[in-house]
Amino acid sequence: MYDVKHWKHVFKIDPNKPLDDKDLAGLCESGTDAIVVGGTDGVTLDQVIQLLAEIRRYSVPCVLEISNLESITPGFDYYFIPMVMNSGEKTFVMDLHHEAIKQNRSLLNWDELLVEGYCVMNEEAKVFQYTGCYLPEEDDVIAYAQLAEHVYHLPIFYMEYSGEYGDPQLIQKVKKELNHTRLCYGGGIKTPEQAVEMSQYADLIVVGNVIYEDLKAALETVAAVKQKM
């Protein structure tokens, strides 16, 4: 298995957004640590299986971030399981996870599953609205990070700004509270400079939307982060 603990940079591609073969090849051969497949809405099993088959032509690790129960399929190296900590609905904190285990427990390899304690920070984001989130204050975010590490012992605490560039100072404060849980940052990274800035504090950065806006800039984030190491 791949060592997720040492990943610094991943690309996240949405099965519900078009991406041609040449662009996908560029992402897979870029030197990124992994390709994560996931999106908020419109994700189908057929889309996920097709992307999996295409990514498997390359040696890059492949992860499914589970969007819904219907799109779960075997064949990925890892499965990221979002637990939306600032959701006001128990469905997105526990109920969907419980149902997924009931439906798939005979197939589960627990070593392939990594739960992400999500904290969604952008009120305009689809995921914020879809999961019924509230916008947390700084103290709330820090408390969620501590909850993720000390109570739930989660491998990942994910600060998700979803298309909006976040606050590096807050990311830095959250990082200081985490010793064992890895801090993941995603949202609004459009330049190598932003990738470097966030990777100073976050253990892992996720580059997503810019793939569909400016592929060249997206690819440049890989070298920027790797050279910083």
Side-chain angles (χ1 to χ4, degrees), residues 8 23 25 46 91 135 139 150 152 165 182 198 211 221:
K8 297 293 184 181
D23 291 348
D46 286 345
T91 299
L135 190 64
D139 286 347
H150 299 292
Y152 295 133
Y165 192 65
R182 300 196 80 211
M198 284 304 182
I211 291 170
T221 64

Side-chain angles (χ1 to χ4, degrees), residues 18-76:
L19 189 68
D20 65 34
D21 291 345
K22 181 180 178 181
D23 291 348
L24 180 61
L27 296 171
C28 292
E29 296 177 336
S30 66
T32 187
D33 291 307
I35 302 292
V36 177
V37 175
T40 300
D41 57 359
V43 176
T44 68
L45 178 60
D46 286 345
Q47 291 169 337
V48 170
I49 290 174
Q50 181 178 347
L51 258 182
L52 173 63
E54 293 171 355
I55 295 167
R56 279 300 186 207
R57 291 154 46 196
Y58 306 93
S59 60
V60 64
C62 188
V63 179
L64 178 63
E65 184 175 68
I66 295 177
S67 306
N68 54 58
L69 301 185
E70 294 75 24
S71 63
I72 299 174
T73 186
F76 287 85

Side-chain angles (χ1 to χ4, degrees), residues 214-228:
D214 186 345
L215 183 66
K216 181 175 181 292
L219 295 173
E220 288 173 350
T221 64
V222 180
V225 171
K226 298 289 186 173
Q227 289 171 5
K228 183 190 108 9

Side-chain angles (χ1 to χ4, degrees), residues 3-9 33 182 203 226 229:
D3 192 351
V4 179
K5 293 180 180 179
H6 291 101
W7 290 358
K8 297 293 184 181
H9 178 290
D33 291 307
R182 300 196 80 211
D203 298 300
K226 298 289 186 173
M229 294 169 58

Side-chain angles (χ1 to χ4, degrees), residues 2-130:
Y2 300 99
D3 192 351
V4 179
K5 293 180 180 179
H6 291 101
W7 290 358
K8 297 293 184 181
H9 178 290
V10 299
F11 282 122
K12 183 175 179 179
I13 57 179
D14 188 336
N16 201 31
K17 293 181 179 179
L19 189 68
D20 65 34
D21 291 345
K22 181 180 178 181
D23 291 348
L24 180 61
L27 296 171
C28 292
E29 296 177 336
S30 66
T32 187
D33 291 307
I35 302 292
V36 177
V37 175
T40 300
D41 57 359
V43 176
T44 68
L45 178 60
D46 286 345
Q47 291 169 337
V48 170
I49 290 174
Q50 181 178 347
L51 258 182
L52 173 63
E54 293 171 355
I55 295 167
R56 279 300 186 207
R57 291 154 46 196
Y58 306 93
S59 60
V60 64
C62 188
V63 179
L64 178 63
E65 184 175 68
I66 295 177
S67 306
N68 54 58
L69 301 185
E70 294 75 24
S71 63
I72 299 174
T73 186
F76 287 85
D77 296 303
Y78 289 102
Y79 296 83
F80 285 178
I81 318 295
M83 174 193 288
V84 186
M85 303 183 78
N86 61 318
S87 171
E89 301 179 25
K90 180 169 168 277
T91 299
F92 300 102
V93 180
M94 181 182 295
D95 291 348
L96 285 174
H97 312 74
H98 176 250
E99 184 61 31
I101 291 171
K102 276 176 51 180
Q103 292 184 17
N104 299 281
R105 61 175 173 250
S106 63
L107 304 173
L108 293 179
N109 178 345
W110 295 103
D111 292 334
E112 296 175 351
L113 306 185
L114 294 172
V115 178
E116 309 166 290
Y118 252 68
C119 192
V120 186
M121 302 294 294
N122 180 3
E123 290 179 289
E124 302 301 318
K126 287 182 182 179
V127 65
F128 187 99
Q129 297 163 11
Y130 178 71

